[in-house]
Amino acid sequence: MQLVLFVLLVLIAFAANSVLGRMAISWGYMDALGFGLLRLASGAAMLGVLCVLRRRSLRQPLVPSLKGGAALTLYMIGFCLAYQGLDAGLGALILFGVVQIAMFGWGAVRGSNPSVGQMIGAGVAFAGLAYVVWPDQSLQVSLWDAVLMGLSGLGWAAYSLIGRGVRDPLASSAVNFLWATAMILPFVWAAWGSGLITGLITGPGIVLAAISGAVTSGLGYALWYRVLPQLQPAVAATIQLSVPVLAILGGIIFLAEPVGARLILGTLVVLAGIALVIWTPRRL
């Protein structure tokens, strides 16, 4: 029962990041990149405190940490900029769909020898994403925002692949968040200097970014790393399929976002395709 509760909290935390980001950015509480910077800094602070409390060393290999920080920076920039236009649920759908497809594709390139069923599943998931973002009067999706969230998904997929096999995921994440906080600063400065952002900061924006960074990211990742060893890989991958659904529900409840038949159908197709990839046995 404790494991189920922890897993549920993790999934809610992952979905909440989309709701919090959309709320802060689209409601004008904070500039997109400012939100990303504060989220990274808050996450680094929380993870650092957890490492100190658990007496974990923050000394990590330089090159993997730099790669992890760069991937996390790409994720955060795409995530925040995309939520200037995308609804919370749609953004989460694109994000997690691209993550799963990208990780499957990377495994195939690296010689994992996928089965026919897995290749069909990847194609179904991609078709579902294409159906959702394809221009239509019933669901207007900015192609630029969809591309940005797709880049965010590639960043998160790269971050996940880089993090495989690390000895101390908690300490590694803390260091990666620190590097990403430093790496995003030039982008924030450049955007502010060019007038793309105004440096808007409000009290509610600070609160939302801090919650997203310290609680739903920092504590969420720490809890995820605690339960992950107790889950089979297929189960761990499968349960994450619920995150876009939870984000859609969060968008409806907290943001009053509309949900049409097109988004519902596209979501079901994407989740079905990803589930097929996960559940179909690999070719020997």
Side-chain angles (χ1 to χ4, degrees):
M1 179 61 68
Q2 185 183 59
L3 177 61
V4 173
L5 176 61
F6 285 168
V7 168
L8 180 60
L9 288 175
V10 168
L11 297 176
I12 292 175
F14 288 170
N17 279 323
S18 292
V19 177
L20 293 169
R22 175 63 174 167
M23 186 181 296
I25 296 168
S26 68
W27 287 8
Y29 289 140
M30 183 174 285
D31 284 323
L33 294 184
F35 177 88
L37 173 60
L38 185 53
R39 179 183 169 190
L40 287 171
S42 301
M46 176 59 74
L47 290 168
V49 169
L50 291 176
C51 287
V52 172
L53 293 176
R54 298 184 182 184
R55 298 181 180 179
R56 304 286 182 83
S57 174
L58 291 178
R59 293 184 178 180
Q60 299 293 316
L62 179 60
V63 174
S65 296
L66 289 174
K67 290 180 179 179
L72 189 57
T73 302
L74 175 60
Y75 156 77
M76 192 61 67
I77 291 174
F79 178 94
C80 294
L81 293 178
Y83 271 132
Q84 293 179 118
L86 294 178
D87 287 346
L90 177 58
L93 173 64
I94 297 173
L95 174 65
F96 279 85
V98 170
V99 168
Q100 296 292 346
I101 293 173
M103 294 184 70
F104 168 79
W106 178 255
V109 170
R110 300 290 290 181
S112 65
N113 199 19
S115 66
V116 174
Q118 288 178 318
M119 290 187 288
I120 293 175
V124 169
F126 182 80
L129 279 179
Y131 172 73
V132 170
V133 302
W134 195 264
D136 184 80
Q137 292 182 352
S138 63
L139 181 62
Q140 296 295 329
V141 180
S142 166
L143 179 60
W144 175 242
D145 292 331
V147 169
L148 285 171
M149 190 59 81
L151 291 175
S152 179
L154 292 177
W156 186 253
Y159 183 74
S160 300
L161 292 170
I162 293 169
R164 282 182 173 179
V166 297
R167 294 183 178 180
D168 191 341
L170 182 61
S172 176
S173 293
V175 174
N176 290 338
F177 266 74
L178 283 171
W179 276 116
T181 302
M183 290 178 178
I184 201 175
L185 280 173
F187 294 95
V188 175
W189 181 264
W192 181 73
S194 62
L196 295 178
I197 62 175
T198 61
L200 175 64
I201 300 177
T202 67
I206 293 174
V207 172
L208 292 170
I211 293 174
S212 181
V215 180
T216 56
S217 293
L219 292 179
Y221 297 163
L223 187 57
W224 176 243
Y225 292 139
R226 177 176 176 178
V227 303
L228 194 58
Q230 304 176 56
L231 302 174
Q232 296 179 0
V235 174
T238 303
I239 60 177
Q240 292 184 69
L241 302 182
S242 64
V243 174
V245 178
L246 293 174
I248 291 173
L249 293 176
I252 296 173
I253 296 172
F254 298 104
L255 305 174
E257 294 178 345
V259 177
R262 184 184 180 91
L263 178 58
I264 295 175
L265 178 59
T267 300
L268 293 176
V269 172
V270 171
L271 298 184
I274 295 175
L276 185 59
V277 170
I278 295 171
W279 289 336
T280 302
R282 295 185 181 276
R283 183 185 300 167
L284 300 179

